[in-house]
Amino acid sequence: MIQCYTISADASQKLLRKVADVPGVRHVAVLDAVGLCLAHTGHEPVSTMLLSDWTVVARAAFAACDDLGQRCGAGPCQESLQTSRDGGTLMRALAGGMLLVVQYESKTPVGSLRLVVAEVALDLPVPIEARPATRRPAHDPFAGDQWSSDAAAKSPAPRPRQPSVVVEV
């Protein structure tokens, strides 16, 4: 069985709200391994297009930080913090390749935010067991009885064709 992770719809909103309650936090989102937004909460509405733009940029920025850590020998990136003139973005790796992204204002107590995010990052992912699909041969109703690899293996090999004898008079 393969160990995978997801987030619970009910529990995730409660945990994301815990992060959003830190003073100055504007938006909190969870991205999956390919960059799709699994959950979002924030203090102001945000368009789907803007949220999509954020997820793409966040994934790229975190991938760059991860690459830097790998190349310098520090290992995979666990957390990335970008501070800007009017606030910043905190990104935290979650189990299963997910990413927690927090957008905050300049007045946010970043130390407190980092502690809350680290705590939430441990509780947010939920392990699930994914069973690999079993492959069964599909039945082809148009193939007939002799058109399967099993039938070919069980049938005797065809005899070589004998050349025809042509007699001219």
Side-chain angles (χ1 to χ4, degrees):
M1 285 182 256
I2 302 168
Q3 185 71 35
C4 297
Y5 292 87
T6 189
I7 60 170
S8 165
D10 298 331
S12 67
Q13 285 304 312
K14 180 181 168 189
L15 290 167
L16 294 183
R17 180 57 48 200
K18 185 176 181 178
V19 176
D21 287 343
V22 173
V25 170
R26 296 176 63 200
H27 294 281
V28 184
V30 178
L31 311 182
D32 70 1
V34 295
L36 299 175
C37 184
L38 299 176
H40 170 263
T41 191
H43 295 289
E44 57 206 34
V46 65
S47 71
T48 306
M49 190 163 79
L50 183 57
L51 190 59
S52 294
D53 286 348
W54 285 348
T55 62
V56 169
V57 173
R59 264 286 163 206
F62 195 79
C65 291
D66 188 54
D67 192 39
L68 180 64
Q70 297 284 357
R71 288 175 189 252
C72 72
C77 186
Q78 298 299 307
E79 180 182 87
S80 173
L81 178 70
Q82 286 100 27
T83 304
S84 306
R85 182 188 67 218
D86 297 324
T89 304
L90 172 66
M91 295 178 284
R92 179 81 182 195
L94 301 174
M98 294 182 286
L99 185 63
L100 182 63
V101 181
V102 181
Q103 183 187 35
Y104 61 90
E105 298 173 349
S106 60
K107 64 182 179 183
T108 304
V110 177
S112 298
L113 176 62
R114 289 182 68 207
L115 290 173
V116 172
V117 166
E119 180 182 321
V120 167
L122 294 174
D123 296 335
L124 195 58
V126 177
I128 58 173
E129 290 184 7
R131 299 179 192 270
T134 56
R135 293 195 78 188
R136 291 181 287 173
H139 175 69
D140 185 355
F142 302 106
D145 293 338
Q146 298 297 317
W147 187 258
S148 73
S149 60
D150 294 337
K154 293 177 186 174
S155 65
R159 288 189 238 167
R161 189 171 169 192
Q162 298 294 328
S164 302
V165 176
V166 179
V167 177
E168 290 185 23
V169 178

